[in-house]
Amino acid sequence: MSTRREITAHISSVKFETITAEKVSTYFGQNTFSEEIMKRRVPASVFAAFKNWQATGTQLSATEADAVANAMKEWALDNGATSYTHWFQPMTGLTAEKHDSFISVNGTLQIIERFSRNNLIMSEPDASSFPSGGLRSTFEARGYTAWDPTSPAFIRETALGKTLTIPSAFVSYHGEALDKKLPLMRSENALAASSKRLLNHFRETPVTDVYSTCGAEQEYFLVDGGYYRLRPDLQLTGRTLIGASSPKGQQLEDQYFGSIKDRVLNYMMDVERECYKLGIPVCTRHNEVAPHQFEFAPIFEKSSLAADHNQLLMDVMQKTALKHNLVCLLHEKPFHGINGSGKHVNWSMGDNEGNNLLNPGKTPEKNEEFLSILTAIIHAVWKHSDLLRASIASAGNEHRLGAHEAPPAIMSIFLGRQLFDIVASLIKGESIDNRTMDMLKTGLENLPHFMQDQTDRNRTSPFAFTGAKFEFRACGSSANISTAVTVLNTIVAEAMDSISDKLDKAKGKSDKKLFKILQEMLIESQHILFEGNNYSKEWQQEAQRRGLPNVPNTAKALEAFITPKAFEVFGKYNVLNKVELESRYNIWVEHYNKVRIIEAHALEEIVQTQVLPSAYEFQVDIGNSLEVLKDMASDNSIPLPIHAVDDRKEMFARLTEDIYQVRKHLHKLQDMLRVISLKDQVEQADYLYNDLAPHIERIRKHVDHLENTLPDSLWKLPKYRELLFNM
Ligand code: ADP
Ligand code: MG
């Protein structure tokens, strides 16, 4: 096994394959069974039936479904695929797949490739091994994956072969959602219905379709694979459980948007190439704030496709990293004291004409449709800020929320000056004056003048309006965005319906009636608007005065999913029923507990087997050197400083104290883990948050002190300065 030092020496000589750039448009989506390809490979009537299915929900006939399955199979075989799999997003937080070969035996016992409509439409993985959060005790354990025709099937390539991959939803025997995709798709329907209803108050031609759009900015860290393999904590938990700060961290702020290292750029281009083949439109790459932290951002798409693509992107990022002897860390907080990683979920709505419904236009004050949707969103976020907070709750994200570099656990909305002023006028019932956009002048005539953005940046806001979309910034980097988008879609659908209800009641829409409705809703919900610094202490106090919830504790935040208010809104829109919500809550709390318990055991093992043995070795070294010094001190001919022996004794005592403290706290940790096993899930979560987490920090403090005390040659675990600065 290589040592830290060998790995460090090796890194400087890493050679990488150069990537030949091709024009992206020539191969974009080549590994996807796109509508264009389907159109070429099925009879025109079948394609028309497929489109009609998407538009109206009229199912394909058996013959039509067979034709699609056959075309997909032929395309996959032509492209070298040998197997197929349904690909789904169970409640593990990861994606899941079970591969089957195309081969089958015909009547004359010959091997042939076969793939029928039944293979395409559904599959039955054994559901009993996926988390169901109690659904299983009430219902049968069977689960089915069902083809999602809105997300194109694709071919996943590895060095050894190719697999046709079919995006699918995962449902129980009785139709309960066992995954993250089905609720998202249901929430898309809810949003479509409510927004069509609202928009038809404003439009002459009826709106036929509305969908939400999403672009998720994906942050991540890269570390060298050699170091990673020497860090069991990273391998088992995705984050460093111990590690003294590097003298240089991110103080100089010299990493953000900095020049990208060749090894990293090479990796990024490799990821992009794979993404383009899969039809994932990644378009932005850059260095993030922390050392070795980066970001990919895609062009936005319809939310359910964007959610699939983000899951796939994370998979591509992790697999590609291995090819470069790198490891891609998606954990929200891999390094203590260094910025964590989030996933900014940019969210908006589009209609069948391709209009962005959150585009304020040049004169937002006159744009009644925009102002109504804006009001609906403000009201929704205010009324259900607890659900939004819960939608991003996880053990990993708990390290970010409320810490300095990440949005607090308090939800608030930033609108920017122009919209804030307009909303303030609406609230006061004043007429809204014309606001012209300012030109931004640099003071140099040889640089172009350009329009100032309608919104300034407020990096500290968890939910910010950024031009023509909202940016939900509190989402964690490893999260599946579906949950956040499902919540957003559902609560906004409810608020839009509430405007429609009031308009219907007012019988006939006039400007005056509309503005009165918006005014009332904004007065009720205005406390959610905050333009200031969300990271400040003052905001915490202010938010408390305003009655906004602030829940840093993950399991407590998740309780929002099992309130009567949640049952009502998710139930009304058929997104998640009470049983599904309760099962989700159970799964998430249990997951939180398991993560924290694994971390505790991993810490215990690393400290016992790697940290303490090195400390004992050093203790012996100092003990020996103390003996030598004492001998020499008794020899008056050697002029030692008078306190030399005492100094060495003190050094020995301090080291011994650290060792003692670590051991004492480890014993306590073992006791705590025993206590935990006797508690139920909710009590466990409480205990893990309030008692175990602070205790782990105590152990870490002493271990990190040891790291800075022991000789470099005795320390086995790669250090922060290596993980974060050598690549
Ligand atoms: P910003 O600079 O405000 O972050 P960008 O234009 O760089 O904005 O976009 C950031 C992300 O937001 C990208 O992934 C982009 O595709 C996405 N985005 C832009 N417009 C929309 C929209 N209408 N709906 C959803 N996402 C969007
Ligand atoms: Mg960003």
Side-chain angles (χ1 to χ4, degrees), residues 212-217 283-284 295-301 344-349 356 358 453 457 459 466-471 473:
S212 73
T213 52
C214 183
E217 301 168 52
C283 70
T284 305
E295 177 178 304
F296 277 120
I299 296 174
F300 67 92
E301 300 174 284
H344 295 178
V345 176
N346 293 273
W347 178 91
S348 185
M349 288 153 68
N356 176 358
L358 283 183
D453 245 318
R457 291 278 175 186
R459 286 273 154 216
T466 48
K469 59 182 162 60
F470 274 97
E471 192 168 331
R473 301 218 182 91

Side-chain angles (χ1 to χ4, degrees), residues 313-373:
L313 168 66
M314 290 193 285
D315 194 45
V316 171
M317 285 165 69
Q318 289 183 306
K319 286 184 176 150
T320 307
L322 301 179
K323 287 204 305 196
H324 295 250
N325 194 28
L326 293 168
V327 175
C328 169
L329 303 177
L330 292 170
H331 193 284
E332 283 75 14
K333 194 75 181 174
F335 303 100
H336 184 80
I338 295 284
N339 269 21
S341 298
K343 179 143 54 191
H344 295 178
V345 176
N346 293 273
W347 178 91
S348 185
M349 288 153 68
D351 68 11
N352 50 298
E353 288 169 21
N355 298 309
N356 176 358
L357 302 185
L358 283 183
N359 185 353
K362 284 215 173 67
T363 48
E365 67 281 0
K366 297 205 187 92
N367 188 341
E368 292 184 345
E369 187 180 301
F370 171 76
L371 291 178
S372 303
I373 295 174

Side-chain angles (χ1 to χ4, degrees), residues 118-226:
N118 290 338
N119 301 134
L120 169 64
I121 289 171
M122 75 101 165
S123 165
E124 192 189 343
D126 182 1
S128 60
S129 297
F130 290 102
S132 80
L135 270 179
R136 232 181 8 249
S137 49
T138 337
F139 303 92
E140 277 104 302
R142 275 168 184 266
Y144 302 96
T145 55
W147 170 39
D148 167 16
T150 65
S151 182
F154 53 91
I155 290 176
R156 199 74 168 87
E157 288 178 296
T158 69
L160 300 174
K162 301 183 182 183
T163 309
L164 170 66
T165 308
I166 302 161
S168 307
F170 186 36
V171 290
S172 77
Y173 185 67
H174 290 284
E176 267 86 18
L178 291 173
D179 72 349
K180 305 207 173 172
K181 174 170 220 161
L182 196 59
L184 174 59
M185 296 180 81
R186 292 172 179 164
S187 76
E188 283 286 311
N189 284 346
L191 187 79
S194 303
S195 35
K196 279 192 276 189
R197 181 176 166 216
L198 178 63
L199 292 182
N200 287 338
H201 286 285
F202 301 98
R203 306 240 182 136
E204 310 257 293
T205 6
V207 188
T208 55
D209 191 22
V210 179
Y211 46 86
S212 73
T213 52
C214 183
E217 301 168 52
Q218 178 69 52
E219 294 181 344
Y220 62 101
F221 279 86
L222 290 175
V223 297
D224 182 78

